[in-house]
Amino acid sequence: MRPKGYLRKWLAAAAGATALLLAPVTAHAQGPRQQAVTYLNLHQCMYYSGSATNHFSTVVTSGDGRFAAGTNVSDTADTRPSCGAGDGNYTVVPLLSAAKALDVTAGRYLNLHQCVYYSGSTANHFTTVVTSSDGRFAAGTNVSDTADTRPSCGAGDGNYALVPLLSGVKALDLTTGHHVNVHQCMFYSGSATNHFSTVVTSGDGRFAAGTNVSDTADTRPSCGAGDGNYALVPVLSGAKALPLT
């Protein structure tokens, strides 16, 4: 016959095991979702018009289809950007275009860094989310278990300088949904003959972009209206849902 103390210890151990089994499992305890794909290939396509002295970039294809960017998910790491030829007035600039293969199995967060550069002599902005092929215009987009809170950007090339207020970073928690929904919002100033795009909301909040992770595949971009001088251009904006599972 076992002692009464043994029975008390056995009952306490059984109660503890039951409580552990019934305890809710948090996203943190789960760790990163097991992805069905390995890479989110982020393609940045820079276009330029010599007559307008104006650059702009696309990360997803524009709503009217004229300015293509091959951003995708795959088990293959892309090393070169896939870009459209433009519309005749605006043509692609290979040196400022680029592709970055982001291993979505490597961490919990897709940290999307947006770096906006400006030339006062030409009143021209442009945006990078991955470092340009020539290395002059850096953007620190990465996958990590750490959520970035400040954008990591290069200083520019002397003619084009970084604009911190228009730059930004968004940490996208890959454990919270099946799709990375990339929203591209294009803004334009008629007085400056100048376009620029945002993929995450600018640091000052004026130029919003609704990029998110969700179980819902977004089909339309969610964008801010601009600041009065720069207004949204719907036909050059776009959204792409990238399935992770």
Side-chain angles (χ1 to χ4, degrees), residues 60-61 63 179-183 212 216-222 237-242:
V60 303
T61 299
H179 295 89
V180 175
N181 293 303
V182 180
H183 291 228
N212 66 86
T216 301
D218 293 347
T219 57
R220 296 181 180 180
S222 174
S237 302
K240 187 166 188 177
L242 300 162

Side-chain angles (χ1 to χ4, degrees), residues 44 46 93-99 115 117 126 128 130-140 152-158 160:
Q44 170 181 291
M46 189 73 70
V93 184
L95 281 178
L96 298 181
S97 303
C115 302
Y117 295 92
F126 66 80
T128 62
V130 301
T131 299
S132 59
S133 292
D134 62 4
R136 288 181 296 158
F137 301 99
S152 175
C153 301
D157 68 348
Y160 284 81

Side-chain angles (χ1 to χ4, degrees), residues 224-237:
D227 67 349
N229 186 25
Y230 283 81
L232 182 69
V233 185
V235 296
L236 297 182
S237 302

